[in-house]
Amino acid sequence: MINRNRRVQSGHAALLFALMIPLLFGVFILGTDGARALQSKARIEEASEAAALAIAGQSESSQESRDALASRYIRYYFPHSDIIRMETQNIPCSQNQDCEKITSATEQYFEYTVSTNIEQKNWFSKDTISTSMGNGLNVGGSAKARKYQSQAVDVILVADFSGSMQDRLPGENKNKEQQLIEVMKEVADTLNDYNQHSNLKSELAFTGFNFFTKKYTFDSNDLKYYNYLICKKAHQNQVRQQGWCFDSYENGRNIDVNATVSQIFDYGAYDYWTEKQIIENNSWGQDIVSARFREIPLTDDFSKFKSEISHFYAKGGTASYTGLISGARLAYDGDNQRKLIILLSDGQDSNYSKADDNISSSLIYKGKLCSVIISKLNEKLVYNDSTQSNEHVVSKMFAIGFGYAASDYPVMQQCVGQGNVYDAKNSEAIKDKILELIAEEMGRLSPSD
């Protein structure tokens, strides 16, 4: 009787075990794929944080470039998964409700967000095992990074003051010149706030350009006009003195490109022109001298800076290379380790359609103008108070198009780099971009809500 009961119980146990196999296997599947899902969730949050910090560090301008950069980070973490959603944002302080509540510039920040979803294949698919969690797993993650201003910086604004800056953008009641002056004043106010509420001593400089830049000489109470060009020897004569080596502004064949670029920081290399010489030797002469602007060297007297630019007036053609060379020289004179040269223009250089002879093209493509400027600046040593040692300058160059697609201008992309060209549709966008560039190079993760 006892043996018979044992045989019956043994049969029950076998039957019970057989019935529990699917349940046990389901628990196994849930444990393995579930654990993988939790691990993937943690990793995608980590990947999103890395992507947000990368975007903050590189100040990617367009939605496409930010999404592409974030996607590269997500794919690095999940090489065998599909990205089914990618959203990134660049939120200036003026559009961030949390940031707007903060009054001090030192506490203001730019915020960069990344939000993404991936689809990951499960180890046990629905097609093969009915008790699986499905064929794929949708995992999402998000992160935010902020960028503050924490280092002193020399900011050099290289501004287009050609006649087209007198035009208005659609729907605006002020012309581009007036809007740009207001933007520069707001930048000066922000730098002033940085300096007053920290131990920073950031400085601001300005140089305008049409076909020339202008430098005021206080000892002689006179303006000197520079186009920063050096002619080939055959064209250095009494009529076309140094720097006046072309018959028209689209003709750059008579310019000694290598000499012009190699002597940027040689302060005696370039001849200047007087107002009388400009008028007598150039069909644009009257417009060139009618424009009212001049170089303002690096300064932290922001009240005086704002007062001086208030009276500036745009007129004449466009030659951005004059502004770039002038800006580089202003940057070299600064004592801060970080230097930003920001070119602001509302259009391509005059006569750009003459691409073969265009002066800007020759200087940038053949002479490597912008690369030379950056490399020469970065060779300079300045004293770093934090490390109490001399360190190399870290300089960057950017271009912002005011009401036109500067990113479609190949010469400018070649100059400052494709990732450093921005298109701004209005003055608010210009201001936000300049302040973003001024903020520190690397971001920090935003606090959790």
Side-chain angles (χ1 to χ4, degrees):
M1 186 70 176
I2 294 174
N3 291 336
R4 181 183 176 187
N5 287 338
R6 285 177 178 174
R7 287 196 299 271
V8 171
Q9 290 175 1
S10 176
H12 288 169
L15 179 62
L16 183 61
F17 180 76
L19 292 173
M20 290 182 64
I21 286 177
L23 178 61
L24 292 172
F25 197 66
V27 171
F28 171 74
I29 292 173
L30 180 63
T32 54
D33 273 342
R36 184 170 180 239
L38 292 174
Q39 182 188 46
S40 296
K41 176 64 176 175
R43 281 178 59 77
I44 200 168
E45 293 289 349
E46 181 183 350
S48 298
E49 290 176 355
L53 287 170
I55 293 173
Q58 297 191 24
S59 299
E60 294 288 348
S61 60
S62 68
Q63 185 74 48
E64 293 77 11
S65 59
R66 290 196 302 268
D67 289 352
L69 179 59
S71 296
R72 289 199 294 272
Y73 274 81
I74 301 302
R75 289 194 182 96
Y76 177 82
Y77 279 78
F78 298 93
H80 305 297
S81 301
D82 296 324
I83 298 175
I84 58 177
R85 184 182 67 88
M86 173 61 67
E87 295 179 4
T88 62
Q89 281 186 298
N90 172 3
I91 309 172
C93 183
S94 59
Q95 299 174 24
N96 190 323
Q97 292 182 350
D98 294 331
C99 185
E100 282 184 332
K101 298 175 183 178
I102 301 170
T103 56
S104 172
T106 54
E107 298 300 321
Q108 293 179 10
Y109 55 84
F110 283 77
E111 192 160 62
Y112 305 83
T113 68
V114 172
S115 180
T116 186
N117 285 81
I118 64 167
E119 189 169 73
Q120 195 172 43
K121 290 182 179 180
N122 286 328
W123 285 331
F124 302 96
S125 68
K126 196 78 173 178
D127 296 335
T128 55
I129 300 176
S130 60
T131 56
S132 75
M133 296 175 64
N135 294 330
L137 182 68
N138 186 317
V139 183
S142 61
K144 298 179 181 179
R146 293 176 179 176
K147 190 160 68 173
Y148 295 81
Q149 163 69 0
S150 65
Q151 290 180 290
V153 59
D154 290 334
V155 181
I156 296 86
L157 300 177
V158 180
D160 184 346
F161 264 71
S162 62
S164 59
M165 289 294 288
Q166 291 290 334
D167 299 335
R168 296 182 184 181
L169 293 174
E172 299 287 350
N173 57 6
K174 294 182 179 180
N175 64 34
K176 289 178 283 186
E177 166 214 277
Q178 293 168 329
Q179 292 184 66
L180 187 56
I181 289 174
E182 289 182 358
V183 167
M184 292 191 291
K185 288 181 178 180
E186 292 184 61
V187 172
D189 286 336
T190 303
L191 289 176
N192 185 54
D193 199 11
Y194 284 144
N195 288 358
Q196 287 185 349
H197 293 89
S198 67
N199 59 353
L200 303 181
K201 190 181 178 181
S202 293
E203 295 190 324
L204 183 61
F206 167 87
T207 184
F209 64 88
N210 46 33
F211 280 136
F212 288 79
T213 62
K214 304 183 182 186
K215 184 180 295 186
Y216 188 74
T217 307
F218 289 94
D219 55 356
S220 60
N221 195 29
D222 195 15
L223 274 175
K224 294 180 178 179
Y225 294 74
Y226 289 87
N227 64 7
Y228 295 109
L229 297 174
I230 295 178
C231 311
K232 294 177 180 178
K233 289 185 177 180
H235 297 273
Q236 295 178 14
N237 54 49
Q238 190 172 5
V239 177
R240 295 187 180 90
Q241 69 181 75
Q242 185 71 284
W244 198 281
C245 36
F246 42 87
D247 299 317
S248 58
Y249 274 94
E250 74 272 13
N251 186 348
R253 289 172 293 186
N254 300 330
I255 296 169
D256 189 331
V257 172
N258 292 330
T260 296
V261 173
S262 65
Q263 300 184 71
I264 289 174
F265 299 103
D266 180 351
Y267 285 68
Y270 306 98
D271 283 347
Y272 67 88
W273 288 76
T274 65
E275 181 176 310
K276 182 183 178 190
Q277 289 172 317
I278 294 287
I279 294 174
E280 290 179 349
N281 289 277
N282 194 286
S283 58
W284 286 77
Q286 195 59 56
D287 284 342
I288 292 171
V289 301
S290 295
R292 189 182 302 118
F293 60 84
R294 68 171 185 85
E295 285 185 5
I296 301 178
L298 283 163
T299 180
D300 61 353
D301 188 343
F302 300 110
S303 295
K304 184 177 179 182
F305 180 93
K306 289 163 56 180
S307 176
E308 291 186 11
I309 65 173
S310 296
H311 306 290
F312 287 172
Y313 177 83
K315 205 166 184 179
T318 308
S320 61
Y321 57 86
T322 63
L324 288 172
I325 295 175
S326 173
R329 291 154 69 100
L330 291 172
Y332 195 85
D333 291 337
D335 295 325
N336 284 318
Q337 186 180 13
R338 280 190 65 215
K339 298 183 185 297
L340 296 176
I341 299 175
I342 303 174
L343 175 67
L344 304 156
S345 179
D346 73 334
Q348 299 174 159
D349 284 5
S350 298
N351 298 309
Y352 174 71
S353 60
K354 304 287 187 179
D356 292 338
D357 296 329
N358 180 263
I359 300 172
S360 293
S361 300
S362 296
L363 293 176
I364 291 171
Y365 284 109
K366 297 177 184 178
K368 310 296 183 185
L369 172 66
C370 301
S371 299
V372 170
I373 289 173
I374 293 299
S375 62
K376 290 291 186 182
L377 287 175
N378 291 351
E379 289 174 2
K380 182 180 178 180
L381 292 171
V382 296
Y383 185 76
N384 188 322
D385 289 329
S386 300
T387 61
Q388 295 186 342
S389 62
N390 289 323
E391 296 186 6
H392 284 285
V393 161
V394 178
S395 60
K396 289 192 175 183
M397 190 180 294
F398 300 88
I400 302 176
F402 191 2
Y404 91 108
S407 58
D408 294 336
Y409 185 18
V411 175
M412 195 51 62
Q413 290 189 23
Q414 176 69 22
C415 178
V416 302
Q418 186 173 3
N420 295 334
V421 183
Y422 308 102
D423 302 331
K425 295 181 179 178
N426 53 50
S427 58
E428 186 70 18
I430 292 178
K431 182 197 73 174
D432 287 338
K433 178 52 65 178
I434 293 175
L435 295 181
E436 179 187 4
L437 296 175
I438 290 172
E440 69 178 353
E441 293 300 317
M442 295 305 297
R444 64 188 77 170
L445 292 174
S446 301
S448 301
D449 294 332

